[in-house]
Amino acid sequence: MGKTITEVAKATGFSITTVKLVVNNKAKQYRISEKTQIKIKDYVKEHGIMINQVARSLKLNKTNTLGLVIPRLTNRFFSSLAQLLEQLCCDNGYQLITVCSGDSPEREEEVSKNLIARGVDGLFIVPSSKEQQLLSIKYARNKPIVFLDRNFEIEGQSTVISDNYAGFLQLSKAILKKSTSDIYLISGDNNLPSIKHRLQGFVDAHKDLKKTLVHNWIISVPHNQANDGFEGMKALHKELKQLPEAIVFSSLPILEGALHYLKLHYGVIPSQLIIGTFDDHNMLDFLPNSTYSVKQDTKTIVENCCSIMLSLLKNIHTKPANYVVKPKLIHRN
Amino acid sequence: MGKTITEVAKATGFSITTVKLVVNNKAKQYRISEKTQIKIKDYVKEHGIMINQVARSLKLNKTNTLGLVIPRLTNRFFSSLAQLLEQLCCDNGYQLITVCSGDSPEREEEVSKNLIARGVDGLFIVPSSKEQQLLSIKYARNKPIVFLDRNFEIEGQSTVISDNYAGFLQLSKAILKKSTSDIYLISGDNNLPSIKHRLQGFVDAHKDLKKTLVHNWIISVPHNQANDGFEGMKALHKELKQLPEAIVFSSLPILEGALHYLKLHYGVIPSQLIIGTFDDHNMLDFLPNSTYSVKQDTKTIVENCCSIMLSLLKNIHTKPANYVVKPKLIHRN
DNA sequence: CTGTTAGCGCTTTCAT
DNA sequence: ATGAAAGCGCTAACAG
């Protein structure tokens, strides 16, 4: 399956132009004779034809591919993002290439360069640091970039992020209204703007409701991973010697790790603990606890990303757009 | 950032060959003069250089890309698979392109063709049906393919799968030893060989332990998705009017859906229910129940896939290899 | 030590 | 109605 267009031309004895006209259904338009059409179509029916996209890309200086750089696929938010974006890109004639940076700036630089060298027509990037975001802009040159999920406040760039502040403001208020103010926060990667905004939402919820933050209200852990959550929970537990009324987690992996600690320590997850977390997952159903989760609107995020990219692809000088997508608070129990 | 090699040659006044020799650090070997080296290196330092991989690929008829076709990224097993495989391919000089088929044969055909037209050097495929597996072999022609996770028993192909039978045999025995034989199975996509083997393991565990299967022991649902699990649980519950001692689920999404039904119906997950499932997830920690899960050895699977692919890439006539990777039973509580 | 050249398969423009 | 040819940027082989 899959002769090249040139091979078909050689085999049938017609020129490349004629073959192309026939296979692109422009035969009528250019009045190619019936005989010729039939001969070519028969050959194609028997042997198949497959346009070599590499050669096409070289000639047109356009690959019809787009790159997506995310921290990791095992994070549910990013995997849904990748899946939806792939589908949407495909619907618009583009093949998405997804790569993981592991949140390491070096790796992000490497994979981004790689994607550009491979000739992607544009890039979606979840930047791991301000420096990397700037470097990407430099490397991509005149290729369109849309920054996703995080924006290190660089002027003139297109960005699509969730409203992290509003999400945690709403979540924290909901919990504060249910409970006293005995509420702690375990948070990873606090230098990320998205996390900073979440923290601010948590703090402002207290202010708005005229509640005071508990002493040592935040446990900071280095990253957004399960083992960080485990250590954070351990630290909090060691300090308090007991469980508070409520704990809020800056992300799902942190929550996973923290609950693993509790399970190890208590044998079960203490069900009276009120739990808040950024990001949602079906498996929160598994908990007996009252849980509040901030579900990001992945569909809208992806649609915005894609529409920005398509305008940028049409005209690189399109004015940059900055979307902030509202998440949704989900309550269980 | 990123002049082409030709541009550098023009700008510095040297020939393409000389420039290549210098940037590839073969200057010494070919005794390029110091002066020339410095001139070229200075220019590159200032303007950067970026090899156009598209042109390179066209010339060499090799793109250094590999394709991975999976049902969906939102399934945890497949996302870890993709993430690990991407890393391993990268370590070996290949860029992985992951696409989702949604378990639809039509879409699988479309994306596979697309990958081949884009010139991937080889393909990893989780086939959705026997017909598609055969079609992929036909389309790929002389490109290497490794089939993953499922094998519809086609001769002469390289495959890497988990030992589904052993996994469920072990899991079912563990549960049967703990409980009476009041144990049901909710299972989706029963026409997949992997699922068939799991069912057989379930049945044979009863045989081996001389227990009899309960009446109507299996609830079959069409697919491997959460809403299928929801419907399956509903059906079982309607039939029994109560909960059995134990339920085994053919996959995590099915379990998710089923527990969502229980949560809706009972308000909490009844903690006396013993739960068994294929695939593992940290979030099973969240359950108060006694759970048994079969954790696939993703790392070994990926390593096997990659090593087969690399030999096939070296020599397409390498004898096909068939790996069956042992999973691990995980017990909680 | 350095330069030249053919050609990968395609698109596009211009000729018949 | 059909064909010819240039050229995208690179590699590899050969030529000085």
Side-chain angles (χ1 to χ4, degrees):
Chain A
M1 213 75 199
K3 299 281 178 187
T4 69
I5 214 168
T6 317
E7 283 169 346
V8 177
K10 277 224 179 86
T12 55
F14 295 96
S15 79
I16 297 177
T17 318
T18 311
V19 173
K20 268 189 65 170
L21 257 22
V22 173
V23 299
N24 292 343
N25 288 317
K26 307 234 171 150
K28 272 265 158 58
Q29 195 179 328
Y30 287 85
R31 291 178 298 179
I32 307 289
S33 74
E34 278 296 323
K35 270 190 185 171
T36 307
Q37 285 191 48
I38 289 175
K39 271 189 189 167
I40 293 178
K41 279 184 180 163
D42 279 357
Y43 185 87
V44 168
K45 206 164 273 170
E46 193 185 336
H47 299 89
I49 189 166
M50 184 160 268
I51 304 295
N52 181 328
Q53 296 295 331
V54 177
R56 185 168 203 272
S57 297
L58 177 61
K59 178 65 193 177
L60 298 183
N61 193 26
K62 179 169 192 333
T63 55
N64 278 288
T65 56
L66 295 171
L68 168 65
V69 182
I70 56 175
R72 44 182 60 80
L73 273 171
T74 42
N75 181 316
R76 179 58 175 260
F77 170 63
F78 293 121
S79 64
S80 354
L81 200 79
Q83 183 169 305
L84 282 174
L85 193 57
E86 188 214 316
Q87 181 61 54
L88 203 51
C89 288
C90 181
D91 293 344
N92 288 283
Y94 288 88
Q95 171 68 56
L96 188 70
I97 303 180
T98 304
V99 296
C100 299
S101 67
D103 256 333
S104 135
E106 297 75 40
R107 186 132 183 77
E108 182 182 334
E109 183 170 352
E110 190 191 339
V111 294
S112 306
K113 270 188 184 168
N114 192 294
L115 287 173
I116 294 170
R118 294 217 126 81
V120 292
D121 298 328
L123 276 168
F124 301 100
I125 303 183
V126 177
S128 56
S129 73
K130 180 155 191 163
E131 293 66 41
Q132 267 314 310
Q133 194 175 355
L134 286 165
L135 266 181
S136 296
I137 295 167
K138 188 176 155 205
Y139 285 129
R141 282 280 205 183
N142 42 10
K143 303 227 190 223
I145 311 187
V146 177
F147 291 104
L148 246 144
D149 187 55
R150 301 169 190 168
N151 175 21
F152 291 88
E153 286 156 21
I154 292 171
E155 287 297 305
Q157 295 300 312
S158 291
T159 57
V160 181
I161 58 175
S162 275
D163 194 335
N164 292 285
Y165 176 80
F168 252 29
L169 185 75
Q170 200 190 347
L171 173 136
S172 307
K173 280 187 178 174
I175 296 181
L176 281 170
K177 279 176 187 163
K178 284 269 177 187
S179 86
T180 69
S181 9
D182 186 25
I183 161 174
Y184 287 80
L185 177 59
I186 300 183
S187 169
D189 253 337
N190 295 334
N191 55 327
L192 293 182
S194 50
I195 303 287
K196 276 184 192 156
H197 292 148
R198 290 175 203 177
L199 300 193
Q200 196 58 52
F202 180 83
V203 171
D204 286 3
H206 284 75
K207 268 192 201 149
D208 289 0
L209 296 182
K210 314 224 185 295
K211 301 240 185 182
T212 49
L213 291 158
V214 287
H215 181 63
N216 288 342
W217 56 277
I218 188 172
I219 312 292
S220 293
V221 291
H223 300 295
N224 254 322
Q225 306 276 180
N227 63 319
D228 298 282
F230 186 93
E231 294 303 328
M233 188 68 240
K234 194 178 186 174
L236 179 62
H237 192 239
K238 285 262 147 70
E239 194 187 309
L240 298 182
K241 310 272 195 289
Q242 55 167 22
L243 281 182
E245 222 172 320
I247 309 180
V248 173
F249 302 88
S250 65
S251 72
L252 265 188
I254 298 278
L255 171 67
E256 276 177 48
L259 294 194
H260 185 59
Y261 171 81
L262 292 182
K263 180 104 174 189
L264 278 184
H265 194 270
Y266 290 102
V268 292
I269 310 287
S271 63
Q272 74 286 0
L273 178 69
I274 299 173
I275 292 173
T277 179
F278 208 87
D279 282 331
D280 183 66
H281 197 295
N282 283 340
M283 288 195 184
L284 288 174
D285 267 344
F286 294 4
L287 286 167
N289 306 59
S290 178
T291 66
Y292 294 83
S293 56
V294 178
K295 187 186 177 75
Q296 302 192 58
D297 184 354
T298 320
K299 192 156 167 287
T300 304
I301 293 175
V302 164
E303 283 166 358
N304 287 338
C305 282
C306 208
S307 81
I308 297 178
M309 182 58 80
L310 290 174
S311 354
L312 248 28
L313 249 14
K314 255 187 224 139
N315 176 9
I316 184 76
H317 299 298
T318 308
K319 183 157 84 53
N322 301 93
Y323 288 99
V324 178
V325 179
K326 281 266 175 292
K328 202 174 128 193
L329 185 64
I330 307 238
H331 179 40
R332 288 178 172 85
N333 267 17
Chain B
M1 212 76 195
K3 299 280 178 190
T4 68
I5 214 167
T6 317
E7 283 169 344
V8 177
K10 277 224 179 85
T12 56
F14 295 97
S15 79
I16 298 177
T17 315
T18 311
V19 174
K20 268 188 63 171
L21 257 23
V22 173
V23 299
N24 293 342
N25 287 319
K26 308 233 171 147
K28 273 265 159 57
Q29 194 179 327
Y30 287 86
R31 290 176 298 177
I32 308 287
S33 73
E34 278 295 324
K35 270 190 185 173
T36 307
Q37 285 191 50
I38 290 174
K39 272 189 188 168
I40 293 178
K41 279 184 180 162
D42 280 356
Y43 184 88
V44 168
K45 207 164 272 170
E46 193 184 336
H47 299 88
I49 190 167
M50 182 158 271
I51 304 295
N52 181 328
Q53 295 295 332
V54 177
R56 185 168 202 271
S57 297
L58 177 62
K59 176 66 194 178
L60 298 182
N61 193 25
K62 180 170 194 331
T63 55
N64 277 286
T65 56
L66 295 171
L68 168 64
V69 182
I70 57 175
R72 45 182 60 80
L73 273 170
T74 44
N75 181 316
R76 178 57 175 260
F77 171 64
F78 292 121
S79 63
S80 351
L81 200 79
Q83 183 169 306
L84 283 174
L85 193 56
E86 189 214 316
Q87 181 61 55
L88 203 51
C89 289
C90 182
D91 294 345
N92 287 284
Y94 288 89
Q95 170 68 57
L96 189 68
I97 303 182
T98 305
V99 295
C100 299
S101 68
D103 255 332
S104 135
E106 296 77 38
R107 186 135 183 76
E108 182 181 334
E109 184 170 352
E110 190 191 340
V111 295
S112 308
K113 271 188 182 169
N114 191 295
L115 288 172
I116 294 171
R118 293 217 126 81
V120 291
D121 299 329
L123 276 168
F124 302 100
I125 302 183
V126 178
S128 56
S129 73
K130 180 155 191 164
E131 292 67 41
Q132 268 313 309
Q133 195 175 355
L134 286 164
L135 265 181
S136 296
I137 296 167
K138 188 177 156 203
Y139 286 129
R141 284 278 205 185
N142 42 10
K143 304 227 188 220
I145 310 187
V146 177
F147 291 104
L148 247 141
D149 186 55
R150 301 170 190 167
N151 175 20
F152 291 89
E153 286 155 22
I154 293 172
E155 287 297 306
Q157 296 300 313
S158 291
T159 57
V160 181
I161 57 176
S162 274
D163 194 335
N164 293 286
Y165 175 81
F168 253 30
L169 184 75
Q170 200 189 347
L171 173 137
S172 307
K173 280 187 178 175
I175 296 181
L176 281 169
K177 278 176 188 163
K178 283 270 177 186
S179 85
T180 68
S181 11
D182 186 24
I183 162 174
Y184 287 80
L185 177 59
I186 300 184
S187 169
D189 255 335
N190 294 335
N191 55 327
L192 293 182
S194 49
I195 304 288
K196 276 185 192 155
H197 292 148
R198 290 175 203 176
L199 300 193
Q200 195 59 52
F202 180 82
V203 171
D204 285 3
H206 284 75
K207 268 192 203 147
D208 288 1
L209 296 182
K210 313 226 186 294
K211 300 241 187 182
T212 49
L213 291 158
V214 287
H215 181 63
N216 288 342
W217 56 277
I218 187 173
I219 311 291
S220 293
V221 291
H223 300 296
N224 253 323
Q225 306 276 176
N227 63 319
D228 297 283
F230 186 92
E231 294 302 328
M233 190 66 240
K234 194 179 186 175
L236 179 62
H237 192 239
K238 285 263 147 69
E239 193 186 310
L240 298 181
K241 311 272 196 287
Q242 56 168 23
L243 282 182
E245 224 172 319
I247 309 181
V248 173
F249 302 88
S250 64
S251 72
L252 264 189
I254 299 277
L255 171 67
E256 276 176 49
L259 294 195
H260 186 58
Y261 171 82
L262 292 182
K263 180 101 174 193
L264 278 184
H265 193 269
Y266 290 103
V268 292
I269 311 286
S271 62
Q272 74 286 0
L273 177 70
I274 299 173
I275 292 172
T277 179
F278 208 88
D279 282 331
D280 182 66
H281 197 295
N282 282 341
M283 288 195 183
L284 289 174
D285 266 345
F286 295 4
L287 286 168
N289 307 59
S290 177
T291 67
Y292 294 83
S293 56
V294 178
K295 188 187 177 74
Q296 301 192 58
D297 184 354
T298 320
K299 191 156 168 289
T300 304
I301 292 177
V302 164
E303 282 166 0
N304 287 338
C305 282
C306 209
S307 82
I308 297 179
M309 181 58 80
L310 290 173
S311 355
L312 248 28
L313 249 15
K314 254 188 227 139
N315 175 8
I316 184 75
H317 299 298
T318 308
K319 182 156 85 53
N322 301 92
Y323 288 100
V324 178
V325 179
K326 280 266 174 291
K328 203 175 128 193
L329 186 64
I330 307 236
H331 179 41
R332 287 178 173 83
N333 267 17

